[in-house]
Amino acid sequence: RRRAFQARAHTHAHTCSRLPSTMPKKGKKAASKICNEDVPSKRSKTDEASTDVPSPLSFDSPASLFQSLISPMGLQPFFQDYWEKKPLLLQRNDPSLAAYYQSLFQLSDLKGLCGRALEYGRDLNVCRCVNGKKKVLNKDGKVNYSQLKKDFDTKKATIQFHQPQRFKDELWRIQEKLECFFGALVGSNVYITPQKGQGLPPHYDDVEVFILQLEGEKHWRLYEPTVPLPREYSLETEERIGSPTHEFILKAGDLLYFPRGVIHQADTPAGVEHSTHLTISTYQNMSWGDFLMDAMPGVVLDSIGNDVALRAGLPRNILMDTNSSHSTAKQLAGFLRRLADNMEGQELRSMDMKRDFISSRLPPCLEDGSEVMPDGKMPALDDTVRLLFQDHVLLSVERSEAVMDEPAELVVYLLHSLRNNREMHMMGQPEDGDGHQDHPSEAQGLKFPLSHLGALKQLLSRDSVPVRDLLLEQESERQNLALALWTEGLIHVC
C-alpha cells in the first residue's frame, strides 16, 4: 500500500495486520500483551562520519524541530501559503548550517557504508538520465565500493542511497521527530551526482518533498503540475511540461520544499565536482480520500447493526444484471446520505492507517542507546503517574475477532512504536531464504476492554494522573491498568 518514498526500485509492502490476541476472560481486566519481540535499535557505534558539528536544529519538541528546519520561515505562513500549494526556496549562505548539512551524509561516507553488506536495488541505485529516460546501471548482488566509485566517475552516474536514516543516527533523530510532527511516515534518500550529471528525468512525486543541499551545488528546474496533488509517481516528457516556473541553484545549507505533483529535474553544474542532496519525503497516501477509504468500513459495519434497511437482502440476481447500475447507484446514494447524517458526532475508527503508521515508523531515538524498560518504581494506587513516549502512542478502537459462540465486540488497543526495527524503516518486508516476503510486521501494544478508553484518554491528555483518579469503576482495574502500562515501559511514577 505504501511505497518506500522516492526509492522506486522496490515497493514498501503493506505492513499492518490484525493482532491475533484475544480479550481477557470475563471478570479479568488486565491487558493482554501483543507482539513484543523486537527491541528498539540503539544508536549505532559505527555511524559513519559521526562528527562534533553542533546542530542548529532544535530537538525540544517535534514542532520546534520542524520550525528550525524551515527557519527563517514560520510555521503559520508555511502551512498557510506553501504546504500543498507552491514551492518554497530558502537560500541561506550560512557556513555553520552548511557544515552541519554536510555532516548528515557525504560522498566520503560511501566507502565505510559499502563495508556493511549493501545491496544494489535494496540499499542503493546507480542511474543516469539518458535522452529523457532513467537508465539503471546496477550490478548484481552486494555493492563493491571500487566499482561504485568507478561508475560514478566514468559513467557520470548518480548514486541514489535509500533510507540513510537506517545508518545515520542524526538522520534517525531528525526523521523520528518529523514523524511525530506530521503524524505520518517520513522517508529519505540521498542523491550524489557528478558534475554535468543528471540522475532522473523530469517527473513528479506522490509525496511532499523537502530537499536539503548537503555538498556542492545543484541546478533545479520546477514546472507547473499536470496533476495537482497526485496519488501516483509519474515521469513527464520535456514536450509536455513546457518552460520552468522556477530555476535556481541550491548550495550547501539551502533548503527547497515543493508539494506532490510539482514536476522537477535537477543536474550538477559544470565546474562543481559533485552534488549531494538529501530528499526528505512525507504524506504519501494521507489525503481525505485515503482516510474515507480507511474509516468508512467501520462506519458501515456499525450502521448495519443499527439499521435494518442495511441488513435487507439485495435484489435477486443483482450481481449478474448488467442493466441495474442506475437503480443500484440511486439506492446506494440514499444509504450514503443516511450514513453521513449519522456520522456527525460519531467517533470514527481507523481500519488500517493507524496500524500502518505505528508499526512502520521509526522507534524513539534514545540518547544513551538504552532499551525501553519499566522505569522507576512499580506504580501503586496512591501514586501519580505520567505517560512516557506520548508522541509514539495512539489509541485504536476496533472490533475484536469473534471467539467460539461469543459475538465480536469493540475493544481498545494502545499501540506504540517503542520496539520498532529502525533497520527496516521504509524498506518493506524482509524476504526469507526462498525469496518470499515474511509475514507483515504487527503493531505492538496492549489490548483492553472498551471500558478502559476514558482512562487511557486521561493519560494521553494530561501531564500526570493519580492512579486512584483513573476513570475506571474498580480500584483493582485502575491499579492493573497502571501496572500493565508500567511493564510495557509506557508510564513513570512521578
Side-chain angles (χ1 to χ4, degrees):
R1 178 169 172 269
R2 291 185 183 276
R3 291 174 299 284
F5 295 148
Q6 303 288 326
R8 301 298 166 183
H10 57 280
T11 58
H12 176 208
H14 189 71
T15 53
C16 71
S17 63
R18 293 292 170 199
L19 300 176
S21 55
T22 59
M23 285 285 291
K25 293 180 180 179
K26 291 183 178 180
K28 294 185 179 181
K29 299 299 185 179
S32 54
K33 192 170 182 180
I34 50 179
C35 304
N36 195 24
E37 300 88 3
D38 293 332
V39 297
S41 301
K42 298 181 179 181
R43 278 183 172 270
S44 170
K45 295 180 180 179
T46 57
D47 183 10
E48 305 298 333
S50 295
T51 69
D52 295 325
V53 177
S55 173
L57 304 179
S58 170
F59 290 88
D60 293 339
S61 69
S64 69
L65 183 279
F66 185 71
Q67 170 65 85
S68 61
L69 185 68
I70 63 169
S71 177
M73 173 64 62
L75 290 180
Q76 182 176 347
F78 174 77
F79 284 103
Q80 178 176 306
D81 299 330
Y82 294 94
W83 178 254
E84 293 190 332
K85 296 182 180 72
K86 63 182 180 181
L88 170 67
L89 173 62
L90 297 174
Q91 294 176 307
R92 285 148 163 167
N93 192 27
D94 183 339
S96 62
L97 188 58
Y100 174 71
Y101 274 23
Q102 184 178 26
S103 74
L104 298 177
F105 199 108
Q106 48 197 290
L107 175 62
S108 59
D109 292 345
L110 288 175
K111 187 172 184 179
L113 288 169
C114 284
R116 301 179 68 173
L118 302 182
E119 292 186 9
Y120 284 102
R122 184 193 68 183
D123 297 300
L124 61 80
N125 281 335
V126 179
C127 58
R128 59 177 300 193
C129 178
V130 180
N131 298 324
K133 296 182 179 180
K134 177 181 176 179
K135 183 177 182 180
V136 178
L137 305 172
N138 289 352
K139 310 299 182 186
D140 293 327
K142 289 184 169 52
V143 179
N144 176 276
Y145 175 73
S146 297
Q147 181 64 56
L148 181 67
K149 190 66 167 64
K150 180 180 178 182
D151 289 341
F152 180 78
D153 292 332
T154 63
K155 298 181 180 179
K156 300 297 181 185
T158 289
I159 299 169
Q160 178 190 28
F161 194 99
H162 302 152
Q163 311 304 335
Q165 71 278 7
R166 297 175 294 141
F167 304 98
K168 292 292 193 172
D169 288 343
E170 191 70 0
L171 291 180
W172 175 17
R173 189 180 176 210
I174 291 170
Q175 288 176 233
E176 181 244 320
K177 273 287 191 287
L178 290 177
E179 288 186 332
C180 294
F181 179 72
F182 286 110
L185 296 176
V186 176
S188 69
N189 282 331
V190 166
Y191 295 85
I192 308 175
T193 306
Q195 64 173 319
K196 297 183 181 180
Q198 179 170 336
L200 302 175
H203 67 280
Y204 61 77
D205 296 302
D206 55 350
V207 287
E208 302 298 304
V209 174
F210 297 85
I211 306 292
L212 282 63
Q213 186 66 29
L214 309 184
E215 292 183 303
E217 300 178 4
K218 203 70 174 277
H219 169 229
W220 283 84
R221 286 169 284 173
L222 309 183
Y223 305 82
E224 196 70 29
T226 53
V227 181
L229 303 180
R231 298 189 76 250
E232 301 290 340
Y233 164 93
S234 180
L235 299 177
E236 290 283 17
T237 63
E238 294 276 4
E239 295 77 17
R240 178 172 161 82
I241 61 180
S243 301
T245 57
H246 304 76
E247 187 169 6
F248 48 84
I249 300 289
L250 278 188
K251 299 182 178 181
D254 292 346
L255 181 141
L256 168 67
Y257 159 79
F258 52 83
R260 56 194 188 275
V262 170
I263 301 165
H264 54 280
Q265 60 179 322
D267 60 272
T268 302
V272 176
E273 183 178 344
H274 70 273
S275 163
T276 304
H277 79 259
L278 173 73
T279 297
I280 295 177
S281 310
T282 191
Y283 253 60
Q284 187 180 55
N285 296 341
M286 284 290 290
S287 68
W288 280 111
D290 292 297
F291 189 70
L292 270 173
M293 288 191 290
D294 189 56
M296 283 305 294
V299 173
V300 174
L301 193 60
D302 289 344
S303 299
I304 286 175
N306 300 321
D307 189 340
V308 68
L310 287 171
R311 300 198 299 273
L314 292 168
R316 184 177 56 81
N317 221 24
I318 188 173
L319 301 180
M320 303 294 291
D321 189 352
T322 58
N323 299 315
S324 65
S325 59
H326 178 72
S327 59
T328 302
K330 184 176 180 180
Q331 180 76 5
L332 288 176
F335 284 134
L336 288 173
R337 281 189 286 270
R338 288 164 65 174
L339 290 175
D341 290 339
N342 295 332
M343 279 175 61
E344 292 192 26
Q346 181 178 340
E347 186 163 329
L348 298 180
R349 303 201 315 273
S350 168
M351 300 296 287
D352 290 317
M353 290 178 73
K354 283 186 176 182
R355 287 177 172 274
D356 192 14
F357 172 52
I358 205 70
S359 64
S360 304
R361 64 179 297 189
L362 284 164
C365 183
L366 304 179
E367 292 296 333
D368 58 0
S370 62
E371 299 176 6
V372 177
M373 300 290 288
D375 183 61
K377 70 175 291 252
M378 184 182 299
L381 194 61
D382 293 327
D383 288 325
T384 295
V385 296
R386 63 181 177 88
L387 190 68
L388 303 173
F389 305 106
Q390 187 166 339
D391 289 328
H392 286 264
V393 173
L394 59 80
L395 300 178
S396 181
V397 176
E398 304 173 16
R399 286 190 178 274
S400 65
E401 295 181 6
V403 179
M404 298 296 288
D405 294 329
E406 297 182 7
E409 57 183 333
L410 291 178
V411 296
V412 56
Y413 291 96
L414 185 144
L415 305 174
H416 65 76
S417 53
L418 303 190
R419 297 173 181 86
N420 284 4
N421 187 349
R422 169 202 181 184
E423 294 177 359
M424 287 305 299
H425 185 244
M426 302 306 301
M427 294 300 292
Q429 296 303 313
E431 294 183 346
D432 59 26
D434 297 324
H436 301 294
Q437 286 192 333
D438 292 341
H439 293 296
S441 299
E442 292 181 343
Q444 306 165 60
L446 301 168
K447 182 171 74 170
F448 300 93
L450 189 61
S451 59
H452 285 50
L453 181 59
L456 292 168
K457 286 184 175 181
Q458 262 184 298
L459 290 163
L460 278 165
S461 61
R462 297 187 188 178
D463 290 336
S464 61
V465 181
V467 175
R468 192 178 294 278
D469 292 347
L470 289 171
L471 297 176
L472 290 166
E473 291 185 4
Q474 304 295 326
E475 287 187 350
S476 59
E477 292 178 322
R478 299 167 197 155
Q479 185 154 6
N480 285 341
L481 173 59
L483 285 172
L485 297 176
W486 177 81
T487 302
E488 194 77 355
L490 285 168
I491 63 169
H492 172 77
V493 176
C494 299

